[in-house]
Amino acid sequence: MVRFGLCCTFRDAPIKFGNTTAAAVGRMTRPAGLAKVSALCLANADALLAALRFCEDHGIGCFRVNSQILPLKTHPLLGYAVDELPDADAIVRRFRACGMFVRDHGLRTCFHPDQFVVLNSRRPEVVEASLRELEYQAEVAEWVGADVINVHGGGGFGDKTRSLDDFARSLDRLSAPARVRLTVENDDKVFTPLDLLPVCRATGVPLVYDAHHHRCLPDALSVDEATDEATATWNREPMFHISSPLEGWNGPRPDRHHDFIDVDDFPAAWRDRTLTVEVEAKAKEVAVLKLKKELASSPRSRKVRRGS
């Protein structure tokens, strides 16, 4: 059975997550800045619980937690430890309540760090910042019961073999809570499933298979073959990604995401599997619910999509 995932925010539902800027907090004294961030963290914990309740009420089985759920947490100048915040105990308690809700209702939560997380960067300071970001997200993941922190393979830097070796070496620097949750996703510019699968097998890091990225950057594997190979890397319920091109597969930029998912872009091989499919579409919860409805009523396959 497919579990559908909603990514981070809502289009129509009145559920909002708060954030701030380094410029705004940087103008404050340290105590005032921490108080501002603390209030945002509390509000975001409440918003997360509301998001999870929405998902439970609407048959959406997974929610991706925004990377800025604790604003500025790893900022090089304004970052903080949670216990520095005035409301630290209440913040942790409220996020743990989200984790209890997830467990009680059979939901799933996950993280997908921002693009600046590059574990194979040639710049040591970028790797250090990436590791700090992953450790922060692992801390919150422990509270909310998330079992996936998903990253891209990083850059090729003119030598994909060395770059993947560097990626693998960085894994050894992660704490156990971060390492056990880490997954890697094929992208649409550098690393295909065929590039990443050997690393996944060697390190035990599961492959989050993105069918859209694979159709934009194909390799020798078909979508069905990549589905089988990616599934084999998981020791828990696999997680995949689906999206549709904004201007169609023959448009100038097939990598750009549409507001909704074309039901024909959903691989037929996914329909009878037990897996989570995160819906990466700009219409957010509206797109997830539309896809669920259309899949329930559509034939198994009306057209063959690129790479299927």
Side-chain angles (χ1 to χ4, degrees), residues 76-105:
L77 298 177
L78 304 172
Y80 51 88
V82 173
D83 60 12
E84 291 182 77
L85 299 176
D87 303 299
D89 290 345
I91 289 166
V92 175
R93 188 166 58 249
R94 291 191 197 183
F95 276 109
R96 289 195 182 280
C98 294
M100 290 178 61
F101 188 92
V102 166
R103 290 188 292 274
D104 290 346
H105 293 87

Side-chain angles (χ1 to χ4, degrees), residues 116-195:
F116 69 79
V117 172
V118 182
L119 287 173
N120 66 352
S121 175
R122 299 289 197 264
R123 296 168 56 198
E125 68 273 18
V126 173
V127 176
E128 294 297 334
S130 300
L131 294 169
R132 286 196 300 272
E133 185 70 12
L134 293 174
E135 295 297 345
Y136 140 58
Q137 295 193 22
E139 181 179 17
V140 184
E142 289 264 295
W143 303 340
V144 303
D147 69 326
V148 167
I149 302 174
N150 183 46
V151 298
H152 290 285
F157 306 113
D159 185 344
K160 292 208 292 189
T161 299
R162 176 189 164 186
S163 294
L164 290 175
D165 287 344
D166 289 344
F167 174 88
R169 276 191 290 273
S170 289
L171 302 180
D172 294 334
R173 300 182 60 191
L174 291 167
S175 68
R179 179 69 173 75
V180 75
R181 291 174 168 85
L182 198 77
T183 63
V184 64
E185 173 190 349
N186 61 294
D187 62 79
D188 57 3
K189 297 291 190 297
V190 183
F191 294 117
T192 70
L194 206 54
D195 291 326

Side-chain angles (χ1 to χ4, degrees), residues 177-252:
R179 179 69 173 75
V180 75
R181 291 174 168 85
L182 198 77
T183 63
V184 64
E185 173 190 349
N186 61 294
D187 62 79
D188 57 3
K189 297 291 190 297
V190 183
F191 294 117
T192 70
L194 206 54
D195 291 326
L196 294 174
L197 281 164
V199 179
C200 293
R201 296 182 187 119
T203 64
V205 171
L207 177 64
V208 171
Y209 174 48
D210 189 310
H212 186 161
H213 287 168
H214 192 201
R215 287 160 173 159
C216 291
L217 184 66
D219 55 21
L221 298 176
S222 69
V223 171
D224 288 3
E225 290 168 336
T227 294
D228 289 338
E229 295 290 347
T231 298
T233 66
W234 286 83
N235 62 0
R236 54 197 185 279
E237 182 175 304
M239 179 176 289
F240 294 165
H241 289 175
I242 191 69
S243 46
S244 288
L246 178 61
E247 299 165 295
W249 287 111
N250 295 318

Side-chain angles (χ1 to χ4, degrees), residues 245-258:
L246 178 61
E247 299 165 295
W249 287 111
N250 295 318
R253 290 282 307 278
D255 57 311
R256 297 171 64 193
H257 290 184
H258 200 286

Side-chain angles (χ1 to χ4, degrees), residues 262-277:
D262 184 333
V263 70
D264 293 320
D265 286 331
F266 194 91
W270 292 9
R271 291 203 181 198
D272 296 323
R273 294 179 183 250
T274 298
L275 64 127
T276 298
V277 177

Side-chain angles (χ1 to χ4, degrees), residues 8-19 39-52 54 63 66 68-69 282 284-285:
C8 302
T9 59
F10 294 80
R11 194 191 78 171
D12 293 349
I15 301 170
K16 306 293 182 185
F17 294 90
N19 204 352
L40 285 169
C41 292
L42 281 173
N44 284 346
D46 291 342
L48 179 57
L49 186 56
L52 295 170
F54 179 97
F63 186 75
N66 190 299
Q68 295 301 316
I69 196 81
K282 294 179 181 178
K284 298 299 181 178
E285 82 280 11

